[in-house]
Structure formats: structure tokens, C-alpha cells
Amino acid sequence: MTQPPSETPAHVAVIMDGNGRWAKERGLPRIEGHRRGVRAVRETVTAARESGVRYLTLFGFSTENWRRPEDEVAELMGLLRRYLKSEIAELHSNGVQLRVIGNREKLPTDIVKLIEDSEGWTAENHSLTLILALSYGGRHEIADAARRIAKSATLGLINPDAVDEDVFAAHLDTAGIPDPDLLIRTSGETRISNFLLWQMAYTEFFFIDKKWPDFCKDDFQNALSEFKRRDRRYGASASKA
Ligand code: IPE
Ligand code: IPE
Ligand code: MG
């Protein structure tokens, strides 16, 4: 495989937002916006793969989204079920590895099974790692890691003095995945909404007014171009004088 140019972000994370407003503007039910959002998912996965991005994380459902009306949650789970069933063969043939982060215990059991099968099937693929954040919340993930570290310390498996940033990161759902270089959020909202809180310490943010169902390859490319113009200093002095 050809190496991406050095300034292509290795990891792009996306908050796919605005499906409901997209539908409302058109006098359609919210679910219609979510349905159209699946097209944008397909297009973004292809754009990421073609651009040499190695990791793409899509925020599909947050821990807070369980508070939505029961029928909307059921419809979103239905779309997720259909997506996993219908796309996995093509993802696999394109060399995409699927990983899911988040609190699976809350997901319907048949979806958990689909996730496990899909992860197992694609585990050896290396063109792009597609990470779906489902029932995911940054604070939940951090609290979960802290609890597991504390338990290991109680059992004498970890020395509390040895718990540093690397040890902590290794206990997160994203263990082994580099931090996102670029975050894209659609729909004009400019907040993080409990996404990848630990991992986004030095991520570049790109906000676009378009709502998720209208997001396309060109928008993805524009975000990558903007990323290349950013000067990532990590607290040091300016490097692009
Ligand atoms: C994003 O669109 C999809 C999910 C959060 C599941 P929204 O459903 O949040 O749409 P808006 O923000 O209400 O327009
Ligand atoms: C964030 O969008 C979660 C997902 C895109 C899955 P929300 O629509 O839930 O976020 P808020 O409520 O506007 O912050
Ligand atoms: Mg929203």
C-alpha cells in the first residue's frame, strides 16, 4: 500500500450531527434524516479510504442519546442493524477493519452479536480501521478505565505508582488506536458532546454548517485541506513562521 502524504491525518473522528434538523426543514420525520445519514456514512468511509486516512471514528449513538423517545431509539437501532448486515461484506472486500467502542451492554443482544461477528471477520484487514462509537460516552469510558485500574491495583496486578498516561490510555476502549488528528462536526454545533474526551487533547477541530445527510466527499476533502494548513504546536513555539 502506498504511504499517505505526511500531512494526511492518520485518524479522523466525526460527530455526525443534524439529521433531525435536516428532516424537519423538509417536513419529514426525523428517521428520514437518519436514513439519509447512512448515505453520508458510506461516502465518508470511501473518502477516508481513498485519501489514505488509516483510522476513521464515527459517533453514531451517545450514552446520552438513550434519553431520546423510545421510537426514535428503536428506529436508530434498526438502521444500525441493517447497516451492519448490508455493509460488512463490502467493507471486508475493501480491506476495512471494523471496531466498535462504547457500552455494548446497553445495545440489543442481536446487534452485539452482529458487532462481534463483524469485528472477528474483519480483524486482519488493514486498509482502514472504521471505529463506530455506539452507546459511547467519553466520561463513561474514562470512569470505566479508572474502575478497572483500581480493581487491578486491589488485586496487586498493577502498582498504583506505575499508572501513567500510557497505562491509562491502554485501559480505554480505544487502546492501540492513535489519538484523532482531526475532528469534524457537522450541523453548525461547536461542542464536543462527550465524545473522545481523553483522546482529543490535541485534536484539530473542523466545524461545518452542513447537516450530516448532505455531507459529501468534497466536504471531507476540504476538511483534510484545512487540516494541512493548521500549525500543530502541542504547546511548543510556532513552527510555520
Ligand atoms: C445526529 O443527528 C444523529 C444522532 C445523534 C443519533 P441528530 O438526531 O442529533 O439531529 P439533530 O441534531 O437533532 O438535528
Ligand atoms: C452527538 O450529537 C452524538 C452523535 C452524533 C451520535 P447530539 O445531537 O446527541 O449532541 P447534542 O445533544 O446536540 O450535544
Ligand atoms: Mg444532534
Side-chain angles (χ1 to χ4, degrees), residues 16-21 30 34 60 65 68 72 76:
M16 312 183 288
D17 198 15
N19 294 352
R21 279 164 284 162
R30 290 178 62 85
H34 297 313
N65 289 150
R68 293 191 179 195
E72 183 175 353
L76 283 165

Coordinates of all heavy atoms in Angstrom, one line a residue, residues 16-21 30 34 60 65 68 72 76, ligand 1:
M16 N -21.4 13.1 13.6 CA -22.4 13.1 12.5 C -23.7 13.8 13.1 O -24.5 13.1 13.6 CB -22.7 11.7 12.0 CG -21.4 10.9 11.7 SD -21.7 9.3 11.1 CE -22.4 8.4 12.5
D17 N -23.8 15.1 12.9 CA -24.9 15.7 13.6 C -25.8 16.5 12.6 O -25.4 16.9 11.5 CB -24.4 16.7 14.6 CG -25.4 17.1 15.7 OD1 -26.5 16.5 15.8 OD2 -25.2 18.1 16.4
G18 N -27.1 16.6 13.0 CA -28.0 17.4 12.2 C -29.1 16.6 11.4 O -29.8 17.2 10.6
N19 N -29.2 15.3 11.6 CA -30.1 14.5 10.9 C -31.6 15.0 11.1 O -32.4 15.1 10.2 CB -30.0 13.0 11.3 CG -28.7 12.4 10.9 OD1 -27.9 13.0 10.2 ND2 -28.5 11.2 11.4
G20 N -31.9 15.2 12.4 CA -33.2 15.6 12.7 C -33.6 17.0 12.1 O -34.7 17.1 11.5
R21 N -32.7 17.9 12.2 CA -33.0 19.3 11.6 C -33.1 19.2 10.1 O -33.9 19.9 9.5 CB -31.9 20.3 12.0 CG -32.1 20.8 13.4 CD -30.9 21.5 14.0 NE -29.9 20.5 14.4 CZ -28.6 20.7 14.6 NH1 -28.2 21.9 14.4 NH2 -27.8 19.7 15.0
R30 N -38.0 12.6 11.6 CA -36.6 12.6 12.0 C -35.9 11.4 11.4 O -34.8 11.4 10.9 CB -36.4 12.6 13.5 CG -36.8 14.0 14.1 CD -36.6 13.9 15.7 NE -35.2 13.6 16.0 CZ -34.3 14.5 16.2 NH1 -34.6 15.8 16.0 NH2 -33.0 14.2 16.5
H34 N -32.1 10.3 9.6 CA -31.2 9.3 9.9 C -30.9 8.4 8.7 O -29.8 7.9 8.5 CB -31.7 8.5 11.1 CG -31.9 9.3 12.4 ND1 -30.9 10.2 12.8 CD2 -32.9 9.4 13.3 CE1 -31.4 10.7 14.0 NE2 -32.6 10.3 14.2
G60 N -21.9 7.4 16.3 CA -23.2 7.0 15.8 C -24.3 7.1 16.9 O -25.5 7.4 16.5
N65 N -27.9 9.7 24.1 CA -28.9 9.5 23.1 C -30.0 8.5 23.6 O -31.1 8.4 23.0 CB -28.4 9.1 21.8 CG -27.6 10.2 21.1 OD1 -26.7 10.0 20.3 ND2 -28.0 11.5 21.3
R68 N -33.5 9.8 24.3 CA -34.5 10.2 23.2 C -35.7 9.3 23.3 O -35.7 8.2 23.9 CB -33.8 10.0 21.9 CG -32.7 11.1 21.7 CD -32.2 11.1 20.3 NE -31.1 12.1 20.2 CZ -30.6 12.6 19.1 NH1 -31.1 12.2 17.9 NH2 -29.7 13.5 19.1
E72 N -37.7 6.7 18.5 CA -36.5 7.1 17.7 C -35.3 6.2 18.0 O -34.6 5.8 17.1 CB -36.2 8.6 18.0 CG -35.0 9.1 17.2 CD -34.6 10.5 17.4 OE1 -35.4 11.3 18.1 OE2 -33.6 11.0 16.8
L76 N -33.3 4.1 15.3 CA -31.8 4.1 15.1 C -31.2 2.8 15.2 O -30.3 2.4 14.5 CB -31.2 5.1 16.1 CG -31.4 6.6 15.8 CD1 -31.2 7.5 17.0 CD2 -30.5 7.0 14.7
Ligands
IPE1 C1 -27.3 13.0 14.6 O1 -28.4 13.8 14.3 C2 -27.6 11.6 14.8 C3 -27.6 11.1 16.3 C4 -27.3 11.9 17.3 C5 -28.0 9.8 16.5 P1 -29.5 14.3 15.4 O2 -30.5 13.3 15.5 O3 -28.8 14.7 16.6 O4 -30.1 15.5 14.6 P2 -30.4 17.0 15.2 O5 -29.1 17.4 15.9 O6 -31.5 16.8 16.2 O7 -30.7 17.8 14.0

